[in-house]
Coordinates of all heavy atoms in Angstrom, one line a residue:
C19 N 0.8 -1.2 0.0 CA 0.0 0.0 0.0 C 0.9 1.2 0.0 O 2.1 1.2 0.2 CB -0.9 0.0 1.2 SG 0.0 -0.1 2.8
Q20 N 0.2 2.4 -0.2 CA 0.9 3.7 0.0 C 0.6 4.0 1.4 O -0.4 4.6 1.7 CB 0.4 4.7 -1.0 CG 0.8 4.4 -2.5 CD 0.4 5.4 -3.5 OE1 -0.8 5.9 -3.5 NE2 1.2 5.7 -4.4
D21 N 1.5 3.6 2.3 CA 1.2 3.6 3.7 C 1.6 5.0 4.3 O 2.5 5.2 5.1 CB 2.1 2.5 4.4 CG 1.5 2.2 5.8 OD1 0.4 2.7 6.1 OD2 2.2 1.4 6.5
T22 N 0.8 6.0 3.9 CA 0.9 7.4 4.3 C -0.5 7.9 4.5 O -1.3 7.7 3.6 CB 1.7 8.2 3.4 OG1 1.6 9.6 3.7 CG2 1.3 8.1 1.9
P23 N -0.8 8.6 5.6 CA -2.1 9.2 5.7 C -2.4 10.3 4.7 O -3.6 10.7 4.6 CB -2.1 9.7 7.2 CG -0.7 9.9 7.5 CD 0.1 8.9 6.7
S24 N -1.5 10.7 3.9 CA -1.7 11.7 2.9 C -2.5 11.1 1.7 O -3.1 11.8 0.9 CB -0.4 12.3 2.3 OG 0.3 11.3 1.7
V25 N -2.6 9.7 1.7 CA -3.3 9.0 0.6 C -4.5 8.3 1.2 O -4.4 7.6 2.2 CB -2.4 7.9 -0.1 CG1 -3.3 7.1 -1.0 CG2 -1.3 8.6 -0.8
K26 N -5.7 8.7 0.7 CA -6.9 8.1 1.2 C -7.6 7.3 0.0 O -7.6 7.8 -1.1 CB -7.9 9.1 1.7 CG -7.5 9.7 3.0 CD -8.6 10.7 3.5 CE -8.3 11.1 5.0 NZ -9.4 12.0 5.5
S27 N -8.0 6.1 0.3 CA -8.7 5.3 -0.8 C -9.8 4.5 -0.1 O -9.8 4.2 1.1 CB -7.7 4.5 -1.5 OG -7.2 3.4 -0.7
T28 N -10.7 4.1 -1.0 CA -11.7 3.1 -0.5 C -11.1 1.7 -0.6 O -10.1 1.5 -1.1 CB -13.0 3.2 -1.5 OG1 -12.5 3.0 -2.8 CG2 -13.7 4.5 -1.4
Y29 N -11.8 0.8 0.1 CA -11.3 -0.6 0.0 C -12.5 -1.6 0.1 O -13.6 -1.3 0.5 CB -10.3 -0.9 1.1 CG -10.7 -1.3 2.4 CD1 -10.9 -2.7 2.7 CD2 -10.9 -0.4 3.5 CE1 -11.2 -3.1 4.0 CE2 -11.2 -0.8 4.8 CZ -11.4 -2.2 5.0 OH -11.8 -2.6 6.3
S30 N -12.2 -2.8 -0.4 CA -13.1 -3.9 -0.3 C -12.3 -5.2 0.0 O -11.1 -5.2 -0.1 CB -14.0 -4.1 -1.6 OG -13.1 -4.2 -2.7
A31 N -13.0 -6.2 0.5 CA -12.3 -7.4 0.9 C -13.1 -8.7 0.8 O -14.3 -8.6 1.0 CB -11.7 -7.2 2.3
K32 N -12.5 -9.8 0.5 CA -13.1 -11.1 0.6 C -12.1 -11.9 1.5 O -10.9 -12.1 1.1 CB -13.2 -11.8 -0.8 CG -14.3 -11.2 -1.7 CD -14.4 -12.0 -2.9 CE -15.5 -11.5 -3.8 NZ -15.6 -12.3 -5.1
I33 N -12.6 -12.3 2.6 CA -11.7 -13.0 3.6 C -12.2 -14.4 3.9 O -13.4 -14.6 4.3 CB -11.7 -12.2 5.0 CG1 -11.4 -10.7 4.7 CG2 -10.7 -12.8 5.9 CD1 -10.0 -10.4 4.1
S34 N -11.3 -15.4 3.7 CA -11.7 -16.8 3.8 C -11.1 -17.2 5.2 O -9.9 -17.1 5.5 CB -11.1 -17.6 2.7 OG -11.2 -19.0 2.9
V35 N -12.0 -17.9 6.0 CA -11.6 -18.3 7.3 C -12.3 -19.6 7.6 O -13.3 -20.0 7.0 CB -12.1 -17.3 8.4 CG1 -11.3 -16.0 8.3 CG2 -13.6 -17.1 8.4
P36 N -11.8 -20.3 8.7 CA -12.5 -21.6 9.1 C -13.9 -21.2 9.5 O -14.2 -20.2 10.1 CB -11.7 -22.0 10.3 CG -10.3 -21.4 10.1 CD -10.5 -20.1 9.4
R37 N -14.8 -22.1 9.2 CA -16.3 -21.8 9.2 C -16.7 -21.5 10.6 O -17.7 -20.8 10.8 CB -17.1 -23.0 8.7 CG -17.0 -24.2 9.5 CD -18.2 -25.2 9.1 NE -18.3 -25.5 7.7 CZ -19.3 -25.1 7.0 NH1 -20.3 -24.4 7.5 NH2 -19.4 -25.5 5.7
E38 N -16.0 -22.0 11.7 CA -16.5 -21.7 13.0 C -16.1 -20.3 13.5 O -16.5 -19.9 14.6 CB -15.9 -22.8 14.0 CG -14.4 -22.8 14.1 CD -13.7 -23.7 13.1 OE1 -14.4 -24.1 12.1 OE2 -12.6 -24.0 13.3
L39 N -15.3 -19.6 12.7 CA -14.9 -18.2 13.2 C -15.7 -17.1 12.4 O -16.2 -17.3 11.4 CB -13.4 -18.1 12.9 CG -12.5 -19.1 13.6 CD1 -11.0 -18.9 13.3 CD2 -12.7 -19.1 15.1
T40 N -15.6 -16.0 13.0 CA -16.3 -14.8 12.5 C -15.2 -13.7 12.1 O -14.2 -13.6 12.9 CB -17.3 -14.2 13.5 OG1 -18.3 -15.2 13.8 CG2 -17.9 -12.9 13.0
V41 N -15.5 -13.0 11.0 CA -14.6 -11.9 10.6 C -15.3 -10.6 10.8 O -16.5 -10.5 10.4 CB -14.2 -12.1 9.1 CG1 -13.1 -11.0 8.7 CG2 -13.6 -13.5 8.9
V42 N -14.6 -9.6 11.3 CA -15.1 -8.2 11.3 C -14.0 -7.4 10.7 O -12.8 -7.7 10.9 CB -15.5 -7.8 12.7 CG1 -16.8 -8.4 13.2 CG2 -14.4 -8.0 13.7
M43 N -14.4 -6.3 10.1 CA -13.4 -5.3 9.5 C -13.9 -3.9 9.7 O -15.0 -3.7 10.1 CB -13.2 -5.6 8.0 CG -12.5 -6.9 7.7 SD -12.0 -7.1 6.0 CE -10.4 -6.1 6.0
S44 N -13.0 -3.0 9.4 CA -13.3 -1.5 9.5 C -14.1 -1.2 8.2 O -13.7 -0.3 7.5 CB -12.0 -0.7 9.6 OG -11.1 -1.0 8.6
A45 N -15.2 -1.8 8.0 CA -16.0 -1.7 6.8 C -17.4 -2.2 7.0 O -17.7 -2.8 8.0 CB -15.2 -2.4 5.6
L46 N -18.2 -2.1 6.0 CA -19.6 -2.6 6.0 C -19.6 -4.0 5.5 O -19.0 -4.3 4.5 CB -20.5 -1.7 5.2 CG -20.5 -0.2 5.6 CD1 -21.3 0.6 4.5 CD2 -21.1 0.0 7.0

């Protein structure tokens, strides 16, 4: 990434995990 707070961008994600676990992110 451009790891500087001067750059802002949107993001999306597909996260694969074991079925018994839950994923949360800083997103909807």
Side-chain angles (χ1 to χ4, degrees):
C19 57
Q20 293 182 317
D21 199 7
T22 168
S24 65
V25 173
K26 290 184 170 183
S27 71
T28 54
Y29 87 89
S30 55
K32 290 184 178 181
I33 308 296
S34 173
V35 294
R37 66 163 53 247
E38 63 272 15
L39 300 181
T40 298
V41 185
V42 289
M43 293 192 80
S44 55
L46 304 172

